[in-house]
Amino acid sequence: MTCRDYITQHAIPLAQAVRHFLAREIPYRQLEDLSWQLLSHWQALPRIPTDKQPADDQEGVFWHLLHSLHQWDEQQIIADSWLRLQLMACANFLVAEGPCPNHCIGSRP
């Protein structure tokens, strides 16, 4: 699996999980488990790119969203309306339902 394949395979499930959590349809623990699984899958790639720069906007937003889930805890996400909007904008972009949030570009781990 290539880096591109990884992003293609995991971007929509991550975005959907974030959207479901923000809508209070799944527990935070489920979202947290998914984020750790995604990092584990990344580490299992046969060749992890040494270049930390994302290849495109989709990859950059994916990494920003995933890193955000590890930076902020459940209570911070629930309480901070700006953070919730930012996470939703990233999720919407990843499922092709919104523009690219220019301020949300992450780097590869």
Side-chain angles (χ1 to χ4, degrees):
M1 176 181 289
T2 67
C3 177
R4 175 92 261 32
D5 296 336
Y6 173 88
I7 298 300
T8 300
Q9 181 177 348
H10 297 294
I12 290 175
L14 174 63
Q16 289 173 333
V18 167
R19 290 166 60 156
H20 287 298
F21 170 73
L22 293 174
R24 310 292 280 172
E25 297 170 351
I26 65 170
Y28 179 74
R29 182 72 185 160
Q30 189 174 341
L31 180 61
E32 187 176 44
D33 288 348
L34 174 64
S35 69
W36 284 112
Q37 288 172 10
L38 292 177
L39 287 173
S40 174
H41 292 313
W42 174 256
Q43 291 298 318
L45 287 180
R47 291 184 50 216
I48 297 174
T50 55
D51 181 8
K52 300 298 182 189
Q53 292 291 47
D56 56 25
D57 289 340
Q58 182 187 27
E59 184 181 355
V61 171
F62 174 88
W63 290 121
H64 177 83
L65 186 56
L66 192 57
H67 290 308
S68 293
L69 297 177
H70 289 269
Q71 181 177 0
W72 308 105
D73 66 31
E74 178 180 14
Q75 292 309 312
Q76 290 170 308
I77 294 171
I78 290 170
D80 188 327
S81 58
W82 179 86
L83 178 57
R84 291 173 60 82
L85 288 172
Q86 180 183 31
L87 296 176
M88 185 60 82
C90 291
N92 288 343
F93 173 71
L94 291 177
V95 296
E97 292 183 9
C100 180
N102 295 326
H103 60 286
C104 298
I105 302 298
S107 60
R108 295 174 181 155

